């Protein structure tokens, strides 16, 4: 058992334990005794203590130094990482916009100084703005992981195409820029653009899919096309021109492109308010039956009445709306407006079939189908009264991304019309995969019909093949009686063009129908709006109801 004792009680017990037997011999009795022994012990103890103190002090300092070093290393690598993140694109590891603009400013400043100093400054600096064509469909069809992988591969091909001393950066999305210093001429920039286009032609392998992609490239040269502040903007404007010229190509900056870019920006700002300010309108152009000459429907064509610039063509503002994302709200407005008009015509006794133009962006939205379905139901319209026109190149480019919408439209009974046929590179049999009922031959072929035997042969072949695929053929842009006659002889089902009627506002169309086409609709409005005597057409003969 253990008994706890106080020091006072413990001391005598310990002394008792130190009792030495009677004959115990102390060998150090003469050399180490008394004071000298005490001094020795004290000195040794002090030495031992100071040694222990200094080693522990050293140890603490060593440990402190190690942990300080570790903290310092961590801080440094965190700093480096932060700096990397601030200056590099995390996906591709390429410099980002900040680093690119910094390098551009630095090199341009150096060039300006050399020029100022009178030293020969004939070496050029070029900025190449590279924007991938149809990158979004890849993302939409194969997922973002595939899109990311494609961007990484594109980045490495761009790096390989450029020289080691060039800067290749990613601005974001599918936009890349290259900064080429020390070029002997602007042609060097063009040569690199060609090399980039060439290197992109080899298909990419992403997540087990083979992907083909192209790019549009804009080139701006320093000092010819601007200074450090404007060079990137000008290369962007040139890229836009390359896209506009048909994609998969490059454009060298020209001053008018800058004006175009400013104009586009200003139009884009105004376009944002066009719907709320009621500046948009739909005009309707009749489609005429090729055999009987009767109207069988209309195409709705968008118009923008700009308060200062007057009428602006959809060919100008639709691409702006597409690039800025405004096309979605504009597209929704077109659908709603066309339906309200069809409903209004129906109230007036005119059952009208209407074709609307859809933009590629709308086709990638699955909600488009529900929106069309609900708007049809709300206005008590038959889905067969609606036709959706999509341009041939769109139908082909994005078939993976848009298939869902095509299937949905087919399910609700809305059919497609392939617009501007002949401008893309699709085979007719490929078109079979689409729920298309109609094919519109581009105006480019119709224009030459009277003068060019080749154009006649092409149109003839297209009509035959389309019929074999159960597609109705519409010829666009018929402007003369001669074209009309030829098309009729070739068996074209429907025609549309100024020879019959231009696009016109809804009220004018009603007047036009009354004047020129009283027998073209199944039920027509009365001449006097107050007296409702609808007419029916039976075997081409107009009869009162
Ligand atoms: P599109 O769908 O091929 O429309 C036919 C274009 O040819 C229309 O130009 C029409 O006014 C014009 N046109 C008709 N007949 C003739 C003719 O005999 N001769 C000539 N030279 N031209 C004729 P518009 O209205 O300027 O539209 C241009 C394009 O804008 C349309 O081409 C269509 O792709 C697009 N667009 C029009 N409205 C819309 C819309 O609501 N949404 C979308 N996404 N695009 C639209
Ligand atoms: Mg059209
Ligand atoms: Mg067309």
């Amino acid at each position: 058992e253990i008994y706890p004792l106080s020091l006072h009680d413990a001391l005598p017990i310990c002394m008792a334990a130190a009792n030495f037997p009677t004959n115990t011999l102390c060998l150090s009795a003469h050399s180490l005794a008394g004071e000298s022994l005490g001094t020795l012990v004290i000195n040794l103890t002090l030495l031992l203590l100071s040694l222990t103190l200094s080693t522990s002090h050293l140890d603490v300092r060593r440990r402190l130094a190690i942990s300080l070093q570790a903290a310092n290393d961590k801080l440094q690598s965190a700093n480096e990482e932060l700096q990397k993140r601030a200056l590099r694109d995390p996906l591709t590891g390429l410099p980002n916009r900040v680093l690119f603009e910094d390098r551009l400013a630095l090199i341009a400043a150096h060039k300006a100084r050399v020029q100022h100093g009178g030293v020969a400054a004939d070496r050029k600096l070029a900025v190449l703005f590279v924007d991938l064509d149809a990158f979004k469909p890849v993302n939409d069809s194969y997922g973002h992981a595939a899109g990311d992988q494609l961007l990484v591969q594109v980045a490495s091909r761009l790096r390989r195409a450029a020289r080691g001393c060039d800067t290749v950066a990613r601005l974001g999305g599918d936009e890349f820029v290259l900064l080429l210093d020390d070029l002997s001429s602007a042609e060097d920039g063009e040569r690199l653009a060609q090399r980039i286009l060439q290197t992109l032609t080899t298909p990419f392998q992403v997540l087990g899919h083979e992907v083909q992609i192209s790019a549009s490239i804009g080139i701006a040269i320093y000092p010819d096309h601007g200074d450090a502040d404007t060079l990137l903007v000008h290369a962007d404007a040139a890229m836009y021109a390359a896209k506009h010229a048909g994609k998969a190509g490059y454009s060298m900056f020209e001053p008018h492109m800058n004006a175009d870019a400013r104009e586009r920006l200003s139009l884009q700002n105004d376009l944002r308010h066009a719907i709320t300010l009621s500046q948009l309108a739909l005009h309707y152009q009749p489609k005429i039956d090729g055999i009987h000459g009767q109207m069988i429907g209309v195409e709705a064509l968008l118009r923008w009445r700009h308060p200062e610039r007057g009428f602006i063509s959809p060919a100008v503002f639709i691409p702006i709306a597409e690039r800025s994302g405004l096309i979605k709200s504009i597209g929704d407005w077109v659908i709603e407006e066309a339906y309200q008009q069809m409903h209004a015509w129906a109230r007036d006794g005119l059952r009208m079939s209407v074709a609307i133009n859809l933009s590629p962006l709308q086709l990638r939205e699955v909600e488009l189908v529900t929106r069309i379905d609900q708007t049809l139901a709300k206005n008590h319209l038959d889905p067969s009264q609606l036709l959706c026109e999509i341009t041939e190149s769109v139908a082909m480019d994005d078939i993976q991304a848009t298939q869902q919408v095509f299937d949905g439209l087919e399910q609700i009974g809305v059919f497609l019309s392939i617009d501007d046929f002949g401008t893309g590179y699709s085979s007719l049999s490929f078109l079979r995969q689409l729920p298309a009922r109609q094919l519109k031959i581009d105006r480019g072929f119709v224009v030459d019909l009277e003068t060019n035997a080749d154009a006649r042969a092409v149109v003839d072949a297209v009509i035959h093949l389309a019929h074999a695929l159960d597609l109705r053929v519409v010829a666009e842009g018929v402007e003369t009686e001669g074209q009309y006659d030829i098309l009729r002889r070739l068996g074209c089902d429907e025609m549309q063009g100024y020879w019959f009627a231009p696009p016109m506002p809804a009220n004018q169309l009603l007047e036009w129908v009354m004047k020129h086409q009283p027998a073209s609709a199944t039920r027509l409005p009365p001449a006097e709006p107050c007296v409702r005597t609808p007419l029916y057409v039976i075997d081409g003969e107009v009869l009162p109801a």
Side-chain angles (χ1 to χ4, degrees):
E1 272 186 64
I2 296 167
Y3 299 98
L5 290 173
S6 70
L7 189 64
H8 183 261
D9 297 332
L11 210 56
I13 298 172
C14 292
M15 295 300 281
N19 257 349
F20 297 99
T22 329
N23 291 327
T24 307
L25 183 67
C26 177
L27 290 176
S28 63
H30 299 292
S31 52
L32 274 173
E35 258 181 42
S36 56
L37 177 65
T39 315
L40 183 67
V41 169
I42 288 170
N43 281 344
L44 275 174
T45 315
L46 281 176
L47 184 70
L48 212 66
L49 273 175
S50 63
L51 265 173
T52 317
L53 203 68
S54 61
T55 45
S56 76
H57 185 68
L58 278 175
D59 190 47
V60 167
R61 284 190 62 164
R62 191 182 58 85
R63 281 168 195 254
L64 203 68
I66 290 173
S67 61
L68 265 177
Q69 182 62 45
N72 212 24
D73 288 351
K74 267 190 195 160
L75 198 70
Q76 203 174 345
S77 68
N79 247 335
E80 276 167 13
E81 185 58 35
L82 268 178
Q83 214 169 18
K84 208 171 132 187
R85 277 194 206 174
L87 299 175
R88 301 250 160 204
D89 164 46
L91 178 68
T92 58
L94 292 179
N96 64 8
R97 182 188 283 270
V98 178
L99 184 54
F100 180 84
E101 285 181 344
D102 189 57
R103 284 192 190 166
L104 173 60
L106 213 70
I107 298 175
H110 176 70
K111 283 222 169 319
R113 212 171 42 134
V114 170
Q115 223 166 13
H116 198 66
V119 185
D122 52 353
R123 308 299 285 178
K124 311 259 181 204
L125 170 72
V127 169
L128 266 67
F129 200 113
V130 182
D131 187 289
L132 301 184
D133 302 324
F135 169 70
K136 201 171 179 301
V138 177
N139 247 349
D140 292 344
S141 326
Y142 306 126
H144 285 269
D148 282 356
Q149 217 180 76
L150 178 65
L151 289 173
V152 171
Q153 290 183 32
V154 168
S156 92
R157 285 200 200 177
L158 289 180
R159 266 257 57 103
R160 281 205 302 274
R163 301 167 305 175
C165 58
D166 300 330
T167 297
V168 181
R170 180 175 171 229
L171 296 187
D174 60 350
E175 290 178 345
F176 295 86
V177 269
L178 288 93
L179 178 61
L180 323 175
D181 190 15
D182 207 26
L183 301 182
S184 53
S185 68
E187 283 78 50
D188 285 352
E190 291 186 70
R191 267 191 284 281
L192 179 64
Q194 283 161 356
R195 213 160 50 235
I196 291 173
L197 293 172
Q198 177 61 35
T199 186
L200 295 179
T201 53
T202 314
F204 291 82
Q205 298 297 330
V206 279
L207 302 181
H209 305 284
E210 189 176 282
V211 176
Q212 186 86 54
I213 203 148
S214 62
S216 301
I217 305 175
I219 311 172
I221 306 285
Y222 176 91
D224 316 26
H225 299 147
D227 54 20
D229 294 336
T230 52
L231 217 53
L232 192 58
V233 177
H234 289 175
D236 183 23
M239 183 280 291
Y240 194 87
K243 280 243 189 265
H244 215 67
K247 302 181 182 172
Y250 69 88
S251 281
M252 186 65 81
F253 175 76
E254 286 168 29
H256 73 84
M257 294 173 184
N258 199 20
D260 293 350
R262 255 183 278 126
E263 163 110 347
R264 269 198 308 277
L265 204 64
S266 143
L267 281 182
Q268 186 178 311
N269 288 335
D270 294 344
L271 195 56
R272 266 178 221 292
H273 311 291
I275 297 178
T276 43
L277 296 177
S278 305
Q279 292 169 355
L280 295 184
L282 282 183
H283 282 195
Y284 301 89
Q285 185 176 34
K287 282 174 165 174
I288 308 296
D289 183 285
I291 300 168
H292 303 107
Q294 289 171 351
M295 185 182 80
I296 27 181
V298 287
E299 175 176 8
L301 292 156
L302 192 54
R303 299 289 177 260
W304 180 13
R305 287 180 308 253
H306 191 281
E308 287 131 37
R309 299 165 193 243
F311 160 79
I312 298 176
S313 160
V316 173
F317 71 84
I318 291 287
I320 296 175
E322 282 175 344
R323 208 181 177 208
S324 60
L326 286 168
I327 191 70
K328 284 185 184 152
S329 47
I330 291 177
D332 287 349
W333 181 86
V334 168
I335 294 170
E336 188 66 43
E337 177 69 15
Y339 285 163
Q340 281 182 16
Q341 190 53 59
M342 284 156 88
H343 188 67
W345 278 325
R347 274 200 316 265
D348 281 342
L350 187 66
R351 190 185 189 278
M352 190 74 87
S353 157
V354 176
I356 56 169
N357 290 279
L358 291 183
S359 140
L361 280 171
Q362 289 176 280
L363 290 171
R364 295 204 201 102
E365 273 193 297
V366 184
E367 308 90 69
L368 176 78
V369 178
T370 16
R371 194 167 309 126
I372 288 183
D373 197 29
Q374 283 166 0
T375 324
L376 276 169
K378 192 170 78 186
N379 291 291
H380 311 289
L381 295 167
D382 181 352
S384 67
Q385 272 178 270
L386 182 78
L387 209 63
C388 291
E389 294 194 7
I390 53 164
T391 58
E392 181 203 5
S393 50
V394 170
M396 293 301 104
D397 270 3
D398 300 354
I399 192 131
Q400 307 268 4
T402 47
Q403 191 66 51
Q404 227 180 330
V405 169
F406 291 155
D407 294 345
L409 288 176
E410 189 175 23
Q411 263 167 28
I412 62 169
V414 171
F415 290 98
L416 293 183
S417 169
I418 309 297
D419 206 352
D420 305 340
F421 187 79
T423 53
Y425 303 97
S426 47
S427 68
L428 275 172
S429 57
F430 198 46
L431 291 178
R432 253 183 131 153
Q433 298 172 33
L434 303 173
R437 282 284 170 93
Q438 194 179 83
L439 188 146
K440 298 182 80 174
I441 300 179
D442 190 63
R443 189 163 64 87
F445 295 98
V446 176
V447 154
D448 293 338
L449 272 182
E450 289 170 282
T451 51
N452 189 327
D454 286 346
R456 271 199 301 277
V458 169
V459 171
D460 188 28
V462 169
I463 291 173
H464 274 93
L465 280 164
H467 284 168
L469 291 168
D470 249 355
L471 293 166
R472 276 178 79 78
V473 181
V474 184
E476 297 184 289
V478 181
E479 291 183 351
T480 66
E481 194 173 13
Q483 292 164 356
Y484 170 51
D485 283 340
I486 295 170
L487 286 163
R488 241 178 16 165
R489 266 186 276 126
L490 293 177
C492 184
D493 305 293
E494 296 174 33
M495 287 168 227
Q496 180 184 346
Y498 298 161
W499 172 250
F500 308 100
M504 51 194 131
N507 54 347
Q508 276 181 31
L509 180 87
L510 210 58
E511 286 169 22
W512 183 89
V513 170
M514 292 305 298
K515 196 168 164 201
H516 300 277
Q517 294 275 325
S520 61
T522 45
R523 208 150 70 94
L524 289 171
E528 294 295 327
C530 48
V531 192
R532 288 188 175 273
T533 46
L535 304 173
Y536 286 105
V537 182
I538 298 171
D539 290 338
E541 216 182 321
V542 185
L543 300 168

